[in-house]
């Protein structure tokens, strides 16, 4: 599983010219599901995500979580996080999870965020999405299950 977590001032997802989801201050999470990923991994990542202290306190230190600042969370599925560009110029996605597994774990990730944090905003699985954001900082963190 791979996640790109961005602290944002705002983020929006458009599909077919229509805004389907938007947030103000919070976290935009791009989620890629790979071979062998599990619900246990999702549980671990969601717990860590909600507690992740990447927002600034009154002293300018990154000591606050998304919950501490009353932020919002948006999750967008992105299989291209598994692009393998080692050979040639065309990315291979052989390590990305099969679509059925990816959709199941994406839906489970959203469900767990909602259960543990409250409302979650989302992209549309498998759609051609236009994602726009204002990255705050910029502050971006990449998590890869191979590193955990």
């Amino acid at each position: 599983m791979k996640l790109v977590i961005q602290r944002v001032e705002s983020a929006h997802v458009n599909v077919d010219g229509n805004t389907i989801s938007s947030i103000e201050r919070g976290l935009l999470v791009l989620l890629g599901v790979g071979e062998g990923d599990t619900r246990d991994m999702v549980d671990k990542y969601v717990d860590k995500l909600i507690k992740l202290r990447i927002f600034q306190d009154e002293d300018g230190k990154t000591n606050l979580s998304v919950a501490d600042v009353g932020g919002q969370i948006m999750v967008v599925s992105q299989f291209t996080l598994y692009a393998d560009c080692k050979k040639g110029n065309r990315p291979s996605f052989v390590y990305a999870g099969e679509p059925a597994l990816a959709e199941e774990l994406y839906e489970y990730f959203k469900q767990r965020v909602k259960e543990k944090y409250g409302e979650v905003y989302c992209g549309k699985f498998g759609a051609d999405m236009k994602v726009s954001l204002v990255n705050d900082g910029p502050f971006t963190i990449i998590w890869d299950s191979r590193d955990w």
Side-chain angles (χ1 to χ4, degrees), residues 45-59:
Y45 279 135
V46 168
D47 286 342
K48 185 96 169 167
L49 177 72
I50 292 168
K51 297 173 188 170
L52 187 64
R53 299 184 319 169
I54 63 171
F55 291 88
Q56 294 179 341
D57 64 16
E58 62 278 352
D59 296 324

Side-chain angles (χ1 to χ4, degrees), residues 34-113:
E35 294 177 341
D37 288 348
T38 65
R39 286 179 171 230
D40 288 339
M41 288 177 173
V42 169
D43 291 337
K44 183 166 127 179
Y45 279 135
V46 168
D47 286 342
K48 185 96 169 167
L49 177 72
I50 292 168
K51 297 173 188 170
L52 187 64
R53 299 184 319 169
I54 63 171
F55 291 88
Q56 294 179 341
D57 64 16
E58 62 278 352
D59 296 324
K61 304 287 184 191
T62 53
N63 282 326
L64 302 176
S65 70
V66 67
D68 294 331
V69 300
Q72 298 174 304
I73 299 174
M74 177 181 283
V75 182
V76 175
S77 175
Q78 189 171 351
F79 80 95
T80 60
L81 293 177
Y82 276 91
D84 182 350
C85 301
K86 291 178 188 148
K87 295 182 181 177
N89 295 317
R90 182 177 179 197
S92 168
F93 299 100
V94 297
Y95 300 112
E98 292 295 323
L101 173 67
E103 185 171 17
E104 174 195 333
L105 291 181
Y106 172 67
E107 292 298 327
Y108 183 66
F109 193 98
K110 294 182 336 186
Q111 173 191 329
R112 296 300 289 157
V113 170

Side-chain angles (χ1 to χ4, degrees), residues 113-130:
V113 170
K114 188 172 185 176
E115 289 170 359
K116 292 193 165 275
Y117 187 69
E119 195 162 16
V120 61
Y121 300 83
C122 309
K124 182 177 179 184
F125 186 87
D128 180 14
M129 297 175 277
K130 308 300 181 215

